[in-house]
Amino acid sequence: MSKKDLSRRDFLKTTGIATGTLVGGGLIGGLIGFGSNKNNSSNSDKNASKDQAANTNSKGKMFFTTDKEFEILSNATERIFPKDDLGAGAIDLGVPYFIDHQLAGNYGSNSREYMQGPFYAGEATQGYQSRLTRAEIFKQGVGKLEAEAQKRFKNGFSSLDDKQMDEILTAFQKGEVAMSGVTSAFFFTLLRSATIEGAYADPMYGGNLNMEGWKMKGFPGHQMSYINVIEEDKFQKIAPKPLGQH
């Protein structure tokens, strides 16, 4: 297989990154823009995907107050985890709803974390150093995605083509976009992590709709036990089960 024919999802599937094994160091983010011509889709395709995700998720939005903000978030997550021949992308998996719901809860408010000063610029090896909550960072980050789209292309982020979206997301990943109280690189790291989590978390949290993320990886979900097949010589394909289905 030639390098240019390797899609982002192929890379995720064969390395185990998507299940959290190797996430970090910009590996997922470094794939932004890689093979984008192969996965280009029209705005009508994106809108159809958003409608499908909305129809399969009855909880609705809990954090983002406008459709425009939610649409920007949706398109950004889709570029990080795009739909392709191997399966659903972030929008069809309900990832935007997963992130929205998480931001409306303890994750967004950092309620279980120490958030007092002093605040200094952290080293690359350190974790969360911002005075801002995740909710504040995402709110600002989504606004900055829109502002950067207007600045570079005189158009809204959700109206850009895939290559243009990738250019902006790559700029965020590299820390090239000015943000207040946090770097754009840190926002991108949060966005990327939340996208992957939404694709593979238990469906009870709003993402991984119909367990499609698990099915792509062949992950069996939450089984009570494997005692009935543990001594089998043949490889076992087990239908996934979510929490609460036992």
Side-chain angles (χ1 to χ4, degrees), residues 110-119 128-132:
N110 296 62
S111 62
R112 298 184 180 182
E113 299 168 55
Y114 184 82
M115 293 293 290
Q116 302 302 313
F119 298 99
Y128 205 104
Q129 298 294 313
S130 177
R131 61 180 172 77
L132 303 178

Side-chain angles (χ1 to χ4, degrees), residues 54-127:
N55 291 334
T56 54
N57 193 311
S58 60
K59 293 183 179 180
K61 297 187 290 292
M62 298 173 65
F63 175 75
F64 287 100
T65 56
T66 69
D67 290 338
K68 180 178 180 180
E69 289 177 319
F70 190 75
E71 187 177 11
I72 293 169
L73 173 70
S74 298
N75 283 312
T77 61
E78 184 72 13
R79 294 310 304 146
I80 294 173
F81 198 97
K83 178 179 181 179
D84 64 13
D85 57 329
L86 292 176
I91 290 176
D92 288 341
L93 288 170
V95 169
Y97 286 98
F98 168 85
I99 296 176
D100 177 85
H101 296 177
Q102 293 297 308
L103 292 174
N106 291 333
Y107 171 84
S109 63
N110 296 62
S111 62
R112 298 184 180 182
E113 299 168 55
Y114 184 82
M115 293 293 290
Q116 302 302 313
F119 298 99
Y120 299 104
E123 299 296 330
T125 55
Q126 293 179 303

Side-chain angles (χ1 to χ4, degrees), residues 22-23 38 46 51 57 77 81 87 96 115 127 130 146 148 156 162 165 169 191 195 210 222 226 245:
L22 298 173
V23 170
K38 177 180 177 180
K46 296 172 190 171
D51 291 340
N57 193 311
T77 61
F81 198 97
M115 293 293 290
S130 177
E146 178 69 9
E148 195 67 15
D162 292 345
M165 289 184 189
L169 288 170
L191 176 63
T195 298
N210 301 317
H222 304 284
Y226 301 93
Q245 203 178 80

